[in-house]
Structures are given as C-alpha cells and as structure tokens.
Amino acid sequence: MVNHGSSIRNHHQLLSAIDPRPTLITAASHFYQLGWMVGTAGNLSAKQPDGSFWITASGCHKGQLGSKDFIRIATDGTVVEQPSPESRPSAETSIHQSIYSLFPDAKACYHIHTIESNLVSGFTKDDTLPLPPLEMLKGFGVREENPKVTVPVFVNHLDVSRISSEICDRFQAAPPSVNVLLIRNHGITVWASSTERAQIYLELADYIFRYMVAARQIELSTTSIKN
Ligand SMILES: CSC[C@@H](O)[C@@H](O)C(=O)COP(=O)(O)O
Ligand SMILES: [Zn+2]
C-alpha cells in the first residue's frame, strides 16, 4: 500500500531543503498566532545543504513575513543573498551561527519569546534550570525513569555577540542534554535536525514551562492558605 502521508512529508522536506522560506513563513505565522512572536519578537532559521542558512530579517512582523524578509548567511557570517537591499539580518544571527557551528546535524534553529519562558528563567539564580520529570521529556529523546534534566540559562547581554560566545564556550565544554536554551528574561532557542522537529521542540519546551508556572502558582496558593 502506498503511504501517502510519508511521501507528502518527504516531498515537503525536499522542498524545504531547496528553499526553506515557505516553511519558515508558515511556522512564524503559527507562532505569531500563539503569541510567541508578537511585536516582531523572535527569529527563525533553516540550514541549506551548502551550510549557509536562511534567517528572518531584523524587525519584521513575524505574522506577515514574505520571501523578501529573509537573508541567507554563510557559515562565516557573511551575507550570501539579500532579496531586499534595505533589510538587515536578525540581531540574533550570531546565536544561530553558533548553534550551526556547534551542532553539525542542526538544520533549523528557532527562537521565540514566551511569557512562561521568561517566568521560569527567574525560578533559578544559577545558570541551569532543573526540569520536572514529565513524560513530555521523551519527546526530546530522554528515555529514563525519573529523569533529571536541566536547561542551560544564559545572561541576556545587550551585546548579543557576548551571548553567542558564552553559548559556544559552554556547549563546547559540555553540550546540553536537550536541544533547548534559555536566555534570562528574553526567550527560548531550540535547534533540531529539521524544521518540523524544531517546532516540536518548541511545543514541548512551552508545555514544560507552562506546567512549571502552573505548579508554582499552586505551591504559592497552598502556602498562603496554610499561613
Ligand atoms: C521585540 S524586540 C526583540 C528583539 O530585540 C530580539 O530579541 C528578537 O527576538 C528579534 O530580533 P530580530 O532582529 O527581529 O531578529
Ligand atoms: Zn529574541
């Protein structure tokens, strides 16, 4: 029997490897609707077979992107293709560049701003945030009983190149156990072997962070009842 689902998916992956912009436009519009990319927040990128990557241009409304709202960047950070001369690469391009150079299997890197990611980044003063041992962690490939997973938390330096160099230094020494990082009071970045998987990772991270915020609210309300 012909498996139409998988052949459509393969076709989609092939098109996306040729030009990932339509996939990134659809993803950004979806994330905008979810409130994850409001007010121009966030940036999405996808890598091409030659190692260059298409990334959203800086300051664009993420709910209404067009093909001209992207810039193609080479592995060394130089601009390869710029459909619109007045556009500039995302202010956070160096973070995407660091991720692709650290993780050769990464084909997509998605960065969004969610309320809960900012709230949970304040749940620890350390540079790692422990995650609850939820079943959803299996979606990141964590297959352990009662897993002890942490997410790395980075300082939100005004100079973005400081954030990307800290990401490089830290992940070269020890890569994280899940493909997620938090920038404190700023947002989430995930990377994956495909654009589809990057979206799944964002959804998983968002679920876990929403759970953590809800659990904290219950804790606080039961403490106030006891007092
Ligand atoms: C709402 S401003 C957010 C920016 O400062 C930045 O954090 C961001 O995610 C988007 O920057 P951009 O340069 O458009 O890719
Ligand atoms: Zn950002």
Side-chain angles (χ1 to χ4, degrees):
M1 205 188 9
V2 179
N3 183 343
H4 290 292
S6 86
S7 69
I8 290 168
R9 205 161 39 249
N10 291 343
H11 180 68
H12 182 73
Q13 277 167 354
L14 186 70
L15 285 180
S16 159
I18 296 164
D19 185 351
R21 286 177 291 175
T23 305
L24 297 178
I25 289 169
T26 308
S29 160
H30 177 58
F31 300 155
Y32 175 77
Q33 299 292 332
L34 290 172
W36 294 358
M37 297 192 97
V38 294
T40 78
N43 26 77
L44 307 182
S45 75
K47 199 166 86 172
Q48 298 279 265
D50 68 358
S52 67
F53 60 91
W54 280 106
I55 187 162
T56 43
S58 190
C60 293
H61 190 286
K62 305 305 190 305
Q64 297 161 2
L65 292 174
S67 286
K68 288 192 168 168
D69 299 323
F70 290 83
I71 293 178
R72 191 154 70 90
I73 306 286
T75 37
D76 64 2
T78 55
V79 172
V80 188
E81 229 178 309
Q82 188 173 9
S84 180
E86 65 274 14
S87 63
R88 293 281 163 271
S90 162
E92 287 156 2
T93 298
S94 62
I95 296 178
H96 294 248
Q97 211 186 323
S98 300
I99 293 295
Y100 291 125
S101 76
L102 283 159
F103 308 109
D105 290 341
K107 298 282 188 305
C109 180
Y110 284 3
H111 165 69
I112 54 159
H113 294 191
T114 68
I115 306 264
E116 285 82 359
S117 67
N118 290 331
L119 289 170
V120 299
S121 75
F123 287 3
T124 177
K125 287 195 169 62
D126 295 342
D127 61 3
T128 52
L129 175 73
L131 300 184
L134 297 174
E135 173 69 12
M136 288 297 245
L137 287 172
K138 281 196 189 141
F140 287 109
V142 177
R143 303 192 71 81
E144 287 163 42
E145 213 158 286
N146 204 19
K148 297 205 170 17
V149 175
T150 58
V151 161
V153 183
F154 291 87
V155 174
N156 188 29
H157 298 294
L158 188 59
D159 176 0
V160 177
S161 70
R162 276 188 73 188
I163 308 178
S164 39
S165 76
E166 286 180 11
I167 291 172
C168 277
D169 291 348
R170 194 157 156 196
F171 288 175
Q172 265 159 4
S177 50
V178 290
N179 295 6
V180 184
L181 66 84
L182 277 175
I183 307 172
R184 185 168 275 121
N185 295 327
H186 178 160
I188 319 175
T189 299
V190 302
W191 57 98
S193 56
S194 67
T195 48
E196 286 171 339
R197 193 124 288 272
Q199 178 162 340
I200 290 169
Y201 286 174
L202 279 186
E203 290 173 7
L204 292 168
D206 176 61
Y207 175 98
I208 294 168
F209 296 154
R210 280 190 291 119
Y211 171 92
M212 290 169 73
V213 170
R216 182 64 67 103
Q217 280 167 336
I218 294 168
E219 255 170 53
L220 290 174
S221 62
T222 48
T223 320
S224 71
I225 289 165
K226 277 184 210 146
N227 293 337

